[in-house]
Amino acid sequence: MKIVEFLSNKTGKNIQALIRLIDQAPRMYKVYKIPKRSVGFRVIAQPSKEIKELQRFTVEMLEKILPVHEKAMAYQKGKDIRSNALLHVKNDYILKMDFEDFFNSINPEVFHKSLEIDEISINNTELYFLTRLLFWNPSKRKNGKLILSVGAPSSPIISNYIMHRFDCAIEEFCNSNAIMYSRYADDMTFSTSKKNHLFSIPEIVRKTLRNKYYKRISIKQSKTIFSSKAHNRHITGVTLNNEGKISIGRSRKRMLSSLIFKASKNAIDDESLSSLTGQLGQAFYIDNFFKESMIKKYGESLIKSILGKKNEKA
């Protein structure tokens, strides 16, 4: 594995220039905050254009050597929030758990330890270059601590790889106990049709984290939620109804329908219309019955016109 030579061939950059750029990479991030849906803000650290390009090429190389579990449903081709929800839609009982500050909990030590345990051999020089490319220095001090950022194109594959041993262990336990498991980034979902069968899972998860060298990664207690068909069930923004189907939920349907009505009256600005186009594309992908009802209510030509805005923009 010769990362600098690989990146030089991909970018056409001089090797010495690349080495200097990689050495500075952890401090070449733009940081901003976006509000969370509930309380507080999410810190996004986005690498500069140059570093982002190098990270994308590095991902091409890493995809060939880093294992990712089949139940890791985020950032994988052919997998998304819809396919994640469909894994659980037939089961009666659900447990949802979140990791605390997930990406930022992953540092180079966790990455290096995982490579060592998995016997993925990377020499010290190459490991240094990878570490500089993949991790962010929030303090920007010369020897500041490095962590994985929310915003880098390489963070998804690193986080999925880091959790591979965890996913394997949890999946093995779940398979032997008639439980369905999936993980969408920091969101874990467990489901079963056996009553009272999920209450042992939180402790199993905590023990697995301890035993598999994930001491920095912890569970967000406030996001540990048990639910059943007697209550509203949602997985990564998708509603599971009691008929064994997935939906976008009543409130979101009403909101989107009202926006379509406004669009039909030309009472919506361009920015809101662009947002509606994207939201409808996702909503119709998840919930085909909603799409059919909107076409019946507002007419196929209007719906096609709104969805066509996406193609015009592209």
Side-chain angles (χ1 to χ4, degrees):
M1 180 181 188
K2 294 186 176 180
I3 184 67
V4 177
E5 288 86 343
F6 174 79
L7 292 175
S8 178
N9 290 332
K10 284 288 188 178
T11 63
K13 293 181 184 292
N14 174 274
I15 286 180
Q16 291 305 315
L18 267 174
I19 291 174
R20 289 193 295 271
L21 184 59
I22 291 170
D23 196 49
Q24 293 297 315
R27 291 185 280 179
M28 297 175 65
Y29 284 72
K30 180 181 179 181
V31 180
Y32 56 97
K33 296 179 180 180
I34 58 173
K36 292 182 178 180
R37 283 185 297 179
S38 51
V39 179
F41 293 86
R42 187 182 305 278
V43 177
I44 307 295
Q46 194 169 82
S48 69
K49 185 177 179 180
E50 281 184 300
I51 301 305
K52 191 179 290 186
E53 179 187 44
L54 297 182
Q55 289 174 340
R56 288 194 177 111
F57 286 134
T58 302
V59 168
E60 288 182 24
M61 178 180 281
L62 294 177
E63 283 176 337
K64 299 174 183 177
I65 63 172
L66 299 183
V68 173
H69 198 274
E70 65 176 0
K71 291 299 176 63
M73 305 301 290
Y75 321 120
Q76 300 297 300
K77 290 179 181 178
K79 297 178 181 180
D80 49 33
I81 58 173
R82 182 178 185 272
S83 53
N84 184 48
L86 285 172
L87 289 174
H88 304 277
V89 71
K90 301 294 185 182
N91 288 334
D92 296 339
Y93 304 98
I94 288 176
L95 164 63
K96 296 188 293 182
M97 301 179 70
D98 275 21
F99 293 116
E100 183 81 51
D101 202 18
F102 181 50
F103 276 20
N104 295 163
S105 297
I106 298 172
N107 63 7
E109 289 73 27
V110 175
F111 180 51
H112 298 168
K113 185 66 176 179
S114 293
L115 293 172
E116 178 187 332
I117 294 172
D118 294 332
E119 298 182 349
I120 297 175
S121 181
I122 301 176
N123 68 44
N124 290 337
T125 300
E126 298 301 322
L127 193 56
Y128 172 82
F129 290 141
L130 273 180
T131 301
R132 302 300 290 181
L133 271 171
L134 299 172
F135 292 89
W136 164 50
N137 179 350
S139 71
K140 292 194 175 183
R141 292 194 294 268
K142 185 175 181 181
N143 296 312
K145 293 182 178 180
L146 304 181
I147 58 176
L148 212 59
S149 80
V150 178
S154 52
S155 292
I157 188 173
I158 298 303
S159 64
N160 271 341
Y161 162 63
I162 292 295
M163 299 309 297
H164 180 254
R165 282 176 290 111
F166 172 87
D167 291 335
C168 287
I170 293 296
E171 172 77 348
E172 183 179 358
F173 173 85
C174 288
N175 281 343
S176 62
N177 287 275
I179 297 170
M180 177 60 71
Y181 164 70
S182 68
R183 181 179 58 80
Y184 193 93
D186 59 346
D187 296 327
M188 292 173 286
T189 305
F190 303 85
S191 67
T192 184
S193 290
K194 295 185 177 182
K195 192 174 183 179
N196 301 324
H197 209 52
L198 298 175
F199 293 123
S200 64
I201 292 293
E203 184 56 29
I204 295 294
V205 168
R206 283 189 283 270
K207 283 183 178 179
T208 303
L209 289 174
R210 289 196 298 269
N211 295 339
K212 296 294 180 180
Y213 302 99
Y214 295 105
K215 293 179 181 179
R216 283 182 56 86
I217 299 173
S218 60
I219 300 303
K220 188 183 296 183
Q221 299 297 338
S222 62
K223 289 293 189 74
T224 297
I225 300 170
F226 293 89
S227 62
S228 70
K229 283 189 173 182
H231 307 89
N232 289 328
R233 297 174 302 153
H234 309 279
I235 298 176
T236 52
V238 179
T239 299
L240 312 187
N241 64 35
N242 290 347
E243 287 73 49
K245 297 176 182 177
I246 60 174
S247 166
I248 62 169
R250 291 180 183 177
S251 60
R252 194 172 173 203
K253 287 178 181 179
R254 285 195 294 268
M255 180 271 291
L256 290 175
S257 180
S258 68
L259 289 176
I260 294 172
F261 176 76
K262 288 182 179 180
S264 72
K265 302 298 181 182
N266 294 317
I268 187 172
D269 60 48
D270 289 342
E271 184 177 349
S272 298
L273 182 58
S274 178
S275 174
L276 174 59
T277 299
Q279 291 185 71
L280 280 184
Q282 184 188 61
F284 290 166
Y285 170 67
I286 293 170
D287 191 337
N288 192 57
F289 293 103
F290 175 62
K291 179 180 180 179
E292 292 175 358
S293 68
M294 291 299 97
I295 289 174
K296 184 176 180 180
K297 185 173 183 178
Y298 295 108
E300 188 172 11
S301 60
L302 175 63
I303 299 302
K304 281 187 175 181
S305 173
I306 294 172
L307 293 177
K309 298 298 180 182
K310 184 176 181 180
N311 295 328
E312 287 177 16
K313 189 175 180 181

